[in-house]
Amino acid sequence: MAKMATVQIELGDRGYAIYIGNGLLENAGTYKGLPAAYAALIVSNTSVAPLYAQRLRNALRMQYAQLHEVVLPDGESHKDWHTLNLIFDGLLQHGCDRRTVLFALGGGVIGDMTGFAAACYMRGVPFVQVPTTLLAQVDSSVGGKTAINHPLGKNMIGAFYQPQLVVCDLDTLDTLPARELAAGLAEVIKYGPIADMELFAWLEAHMDALVARERGALAHVVKRSCEIKAAVVGADEREAGLRAILNFGHTFGHAIEAGMGYGVWLHGEGVAAGMVMAAHLSQRLGLVDGSFVERLTRLIERAGLPTRGPVLDAQDNAGRYLELMRVDKKAEGGEIRFVLIDGPGKAIMRAAPDALVREVIDQCCAS
Amino acid sequence: MAKMATVQIELGDRGYAIYIGNGLLENAGTYKGLPAAYAALIVSNTSVAPLYAQRLRNALRMQYAQLHEVVLPDGESHKDWHTLNLIFDGLLQHGCDRRTVLFALGGGVIGDMTGFAAACYMRGVPFVQVPTTLLAQVDSSVGGKTAINHPLGKNMIGAFYQPQLVVCDLDTLDTLPARELAAGLAEVIKYGPIADMELFAWLEAHMDALVARERGALAHVVKRSCEIKAAVVGADEREAGLRAILNFGHTFGHAIEAGMGYGVWLHGEGVAAGMVMAAHLSQRLGLVDGSFVERLTRLIERAGLPTRGPVLDAQDNAGRYLELMRVDKKAEGGEIRFVLIDGPGKAIMRAAPDALVREVIDQCCAS
């Protein structure tokens, strides 16, 4: 096996390891430590399966008596009950019982749906994350949040359910479209303002290398991102408090995704524009100064990401954003809880006056 | 408040109380100990809502700023994703956030669906069981098993998710159809052979009083059933071992329910005939003698329950039963795990030769 880094998620008997390195996916040794099981079901999508499913099958062949595969349509617009049910159909058609391990081979949508299917199938079977996008490697495959969308809200139906193992094979990033690489960088950038300005400075120095997919640079940000997320999730698995800081940029971002229709803007793109908005809101509340907002905006731009939100309603754009944000999971009794930056490197949760939020939206949206 | 018994489920920070008594449902005091929340959503069905929803609303009115209601179609045939989604629709249409408590007002189907909805909505909101059938009071509302059916299998999609409180109001049993009362008695009878032959002897002495719905007799069996279930669930929440004994009669019973089409036989009716089959299988394996099988069969009969299974396939009835039992959740690698009686009052899990199982099915099915 090639050189590999390991980040441990400390959650007692629900703890697990994240492996980060090259050539991991196709190496049978990667999976040796998993609990014994009879069958494995690989869940992937029409874009990723042709690239990597056979390699994963080869690696798993000796370990499981039965090896099955379900290939789902690709994209956030398919992250719904109908598509989830294809996983249950596959499990039941193959007669899979509780001694079955699910492998999520793909990006965040595959990981979220496979994890939720594993949480629910026969009230819970084990699963492994094999994320093949940068976004999934640095964020969504770590921490046990699983979900599907509902027509009235993103990720509204799901479970906290931890995987047995996360395998981040950096080789899979070679085949990632540029737009998706950039979307992943949004979540990497996020860790700076909320937790680690050293990482932020490192990103300022190495953004060009990341966009050029230099191996060493990618390895560094995947590892550092997983370390930060591991620390946050280990302290607050079920988002009672601290964990919510990981949603910096997400309140505005979710409104963008929902308002545009899921899949039109990528999640990371919504988060990127959302972080700029949240930074401006932080500035207007006197929490950070303008130079920080400019640094953040500049870094997001260099990653090839949008720094302005879309217009969701020509008549009352700010009103539409507010309406969508009020049904976000983080809202409480109709009050929107924003993740704001209380000085670079530190996040806080708080509400903000509607008038101020409207000003920020007006300022930050393309017209 | 009227005289009330309390049974405690010991599961650490997931522990909760079962209240058993008369007049509990409509008494605001019943719900005072629940964690603070902003909204409550009552989930009921078209049979139960007209009888009890208004009383529950009155009791909850002072405690929650918002009070909503979703009324589902009645019956096991509706225990599917489509119906579950009506709960999510209601929650989202009313803008319910995480500070929402779900109340399951109805029988086992309502409890299973409401509990699963609570487990999944925004990755988990609290819920309260208000079971209005004997079956739900003595079995399904206690222990945190929630699920929906899949066309290929019963309860295949679900979660272990504990309620905050279970309110067994014995008054609601007055309106229960006789067939459903009998179905509930099947689960009461079950606790005898697997755990408590003293209860079994008590049932032999008081079965007529139970069928006549004598208050004191019902109060005794609900309390004793909950105590036994509490002890089993407290020792094995996620069915790693001991808890599986609660499925005595259920392996054959699930095959009957699935083979006849969900809802044709009531769950308790399938369990009743299934217990007779499992008892015969135990006898053929030399674990109990014929007199015990006769006592059990006689008691089931006196409860107004079927003691013989239906013919599921005129050509190869035993083959059809075996086929259905192999996809049961308790099966492992295609091997059926039966809950058998290893002497009255003690259950064990074990496999049995197909030929022996076929003989039992041939012997125990109506032709």
Side-chain angles (χ1 to χ4, degrees):
Chain A
M1 209 184 303
K3 189 163 147 281
M4 186 180 89
T6 301
V7 176
Q8 193 69 31
I9 305 278
E10 304 291 355
L11 286 172
D13 59 1
R14 290 185 307 287
Y16 53 95
I18 307 166
Y19 295 162
I20 301 160
N22 297 94
L24 300 179
L25 184 154
E26 62 206 57
N27 190 318
T30 302
Y31 312 98
K32 283 297 174 208
L34 290 171
Y38 183 79
L41 179 96
I42 299 168
V43 179
S44 192
N45 67 33
T46 49
S47 305
V48 175
L51 297 170
Y52 300 111
Q54 190 57 52
R55 293 191 210 176
L56 182 56
R57 292 182 79 106
N58 290 343
L60 300 177
R61 199 173 301 281
M62 296 303 289
Q63 196 154 344
Y64 302 98
Q66 292 185 6
L67 203 51
H68 307 293
E69 197 174 316
V70 171
V71 178
L72 306 179
D74 188 11
E76 178 84 24
S77 63
H78 296 285
K79 193 172 147 180
D80 56 14
W81 171 261
H82 176 79
T83 309
L84 181 74
N85 212 35
L86 297 176
I87 305 176
F88 297 132
D89 290 347
L91 286 163
L92 285 162
Q93 279 158 8
H94 292 301
C96 290
D97 61 28
R98 281 175 171 156
R99 300 179 309 163
T100 303
V101 183
L102 271 58
F103 286 80
L105 176 66
V109 173
I110 287 294
D112 276 13
M113 284 202 291
T114 307
F116 187 42
C120 298
Y121 188 62
M122 297 189 173
R123 300 196 186 92
V125 295
F127 85 111
V128 174
Q129 293 272 20
V130 188
T132 61
T133 67
L134 182 59
L135 187 138
Q137 292 187 358
V138 301
D139 182 30
S140 57
S141 71
V142 176
K145 276 197 183 180
T146 73
I148 56 173
N149 298 329
H150 182 281
L152 296 177
K154 187 176 157 69
N155 292 332
M156 283 294 170
I157 301 164
F160 287 99
Y161 196 70
Q162 303 295 339
Q164 300 287 318
L165 172 69
V166 181
V167 179
C168 297
D169 188 333
L170 300 169
D171 287 347
T172 62
L173 304 181
D174 290 344
T175 52
L176 198 62
R179 186 179 168 198
E180 290 203 36
L181 185 81
L185 289 173
E187 299 281 4
V188 175
I189 292 169
K190 175 189 78 177
Y191 292 114
I194 65 168
D196 183 1
M197 286 305 285
E198 205 172 301
L199 171 64
F200 193 83
W202 191 95
L203 291 171
E204 291 181 312
H206 297 84
M207 186 50 78
D208 298 341
L210 286 167
V211 172
R213 307 186 195 211
E214 284 183 17
R215 285 286 166 87
L218 288 170
H220 178 75
V221 295
V222 172
K223 178 161 183 284
R224 187 67 197 119
S225 298
C226 287
E227 283 170 353
I228 296 170
K229 181 144 188 185
V232 172
V233 169
D236 176 24
E237 183 182 9
R238 296 180 72 89
E239 197 163 292
L242 178 67
R243 183 167 179 166
I245 69 167
L246 297 173
N247 292 298
F248 175 54
H250 285 57
T251 305
F252 290 103
H254 285 166
I256 293 172
E257 285 182 271
M260 295 297 286
Y262 294 125
V264 178
W265 278 50
L266 295 179
H267 175 67
E269 293 169 342
V271 169
M275 286 192 291
V276 175
M277 292 184 183
H280 277 286
L281 186 55
S282 306
Q283 185 191 356
R284 279 172 189 266
L285 287 164
L287 302 172
V288 288
D289 58 28
S291 67
F292 168 77
V293 180
E294 274 171 45
R295 271 179 79 188
L296 177 63
T297 307
R298 173 84 185 111
L299 188 61
I300 289 170
E301 197 172 31
R302 286 178 60 207
L305 287 162
T307 56
R308 297 179 71 75
V311 174
L312 299 179
D313 185 315
Q315 304 302 314
D316 180 14
N317 187 49
R320 179 66 181 142
Y321 269 86
L322 283 165
E323 181 185 35
L324 288 163
M325 291 193 290
R326 271 191 240 286
V327 298
D328 194 82
K329 283 195 300 304
K330 250 63 70 183
E332 285 197 353
E335 184 181 78
I336 307 163
R337 306 282 295 167
F338 293 96
V339 182
L340 299 173
I341 303 304
D342 188 19
K346 181 173 173 237
I348 54 162
M349 296 279 295
R350 58 171 283 190
D354 273 9
L356 215 57
V357 178
R358 282 180 175 273
E359 284 175 26
V360 166
I361 294 166
D362 289 342
Q363 177 190 359
C364 292
C365 284
S367 62
Chain B
M1 206 186 306
K3 187 162 148 281
M4 185 180 88
T6 301
V7 175
Q8 193 68 32
I9 303 278
E10 303 291 355
L11 286 172
D13 59 0
R14 291 186 306 288
Y16 54 96
I18 308 166
Y19 295 162
I20 301 160
N22 297 94
L24 299 179
L25 184 153
E26 62 208 56
N27 190 318
T30 302
Y31 312 98
K32 284 297 174 208
L34 290 172
Y38 183 80
L41 178 98
I42 299 169
V43 180
S44 192
N45 67 33
T46 49
S47 305
V48 174
L51 297 169
Y52 300 111
Q54 190 57 51
R55 294 191 208 177
L56 182 57
R57 291 182 80 104
N58 290 344
L60 299 178
R61 199 173 301 280
M62 296 302 291
Q63 195 154 344
Y64 301 99
Q66 292 186 6
L67 202 53
H68 307 293
E69 197 174 316
V70 171
V71 178
L72 306 179
D74 187 12
E76 178 84 23
S77 63
H78 296 285
K79 192 173 148 181
D80 57 14
W81 171 260
H82 176 79
T83 309
L84 181 75
N85 213 35
L86 297 175
I87 304 176
F88 297 131
D89 291 346
L91 286 163
L92 285 162
Q93 279 158 8
H94 292 301
C96 291
D97 62 26
R98 281 175 172 156
R99 299 180 308 161
T100 302
V101 183
L102 271 60
F103 286 80
L105 176 65
V109 173
I110 287 293
D112 276 13
M113 284 202 291
T114 307
F116 188 42
C120 298
Y121 187 62
M122 296 190 174
R123 302 196 183 93
V125 295
F127 85 112
V128 173
Q129 294 271 19
V130 188
T132 61
T133 67
L134 181 60
L135 186 137
Q137 292 187 358
V138 301
D139 182 31
S140 56
S141 72
V142 176
K145 275 196 184 182
T146 73
I148 57 172
N149 299 329
H150 182 282
L152 295 177
K154 187 176 157 68
N155 291 331
M156 283 295 169
I157 301 164
F160 288 98
Y161 195 69
Q162 303 295 340
Q164 300 287 318
L165 173 69
V166 181
V167 179
C168 297
D169 188 333
L170 300 169
D171 288 347
T172 62
L173 303 181
D174 290 345
T175 52
L176 198 62
R179 188 179 167 197
E180 289 202 38
L181 187 81
L185 289 173
E187 298 282 4
V188 175
I189 292 169
K190 175 189 79 177
Y191 292 113
I194 64 168
D196 183 1
M197 285 306 286
E198 205 173 300
L199 171 65
F200 192 83
W202 190 95
L203 291 171
E204 290 180 312
H206 297 85
M207 186 51 77
D208 297 341
L210 286 168
V211 172
R213 305 187 197 213
E214 283 182 19
R215 285 284 167 88
L218 287 171
H220 177 76
V221 295
V222 172
K223 178 161 184 285
R224 187 68 197 118
S225 297
C226 287
E227 284 169 353
I228 296 170
K229 182 145 188 185
V232 172
V233 170
D236 177 23
E237 182 182 10
R238 296 181 71 91
E239 198 164 293
L242 178 67
R243 183 168 179 164
I245 69 167
L246 297 173
N247 291 299
F248 175 54
H250 284 58
T251 304
F252 290 104
H254 285 167
I256 292 171
E257 285 182 272
M260 295 297 286
Y262 294 124
V264 178
W265 277 51
L266 296 179
H267 175 69
E269 293 169 341
V271 169
M275 287 192 289
V276 175
M277 291 184 184
H280 276 287
L281 185 56
S282 306
Q283 185 191 356
R284 279 171 190 266
L285 287 164
L287 302 172
V288 288
D289 59 29
S291 68
F292 168 77
V293 180
E294 275 172 43
R295 272 180 77 188
L296 177 63
T297 307
R298 173 83 186 113
L299 186 62
I300 289 170
E301 196 171 32
R302 285 178 61 207
L305 287 162
T307 56
R308 298 179 70 76
V311 174
L312 300 178
D313 186 314
Q315 303 305 313
D316 180 14
N317 186 48
R320 179 67 181 142
Y321 269 85
L322 282 165
E323 181 185 37
L324 288 163
M325 291 193 290
R326 272 192 240 285
V327 298
D328 194 81
K329 283 195 300 303
K330 251 63 72 183
E332 285 196 353
E335 184 182 80
I336 307 163
R337 307 282 293 167
F338 293 96
V339 181
L340 299 173
I341 303 304
D342 188 20
K346 181 170 174 241
I348 54 162
M349 296 278 294
R350 57 171 283 189
D354 273 9
L356 215 57
V357 178
R358 282 180 174 272
E359 284 177 27
V360 166
I361 294 167
D362 289 341
Q363 176 189 359
C364 292
C365 284
S367 63

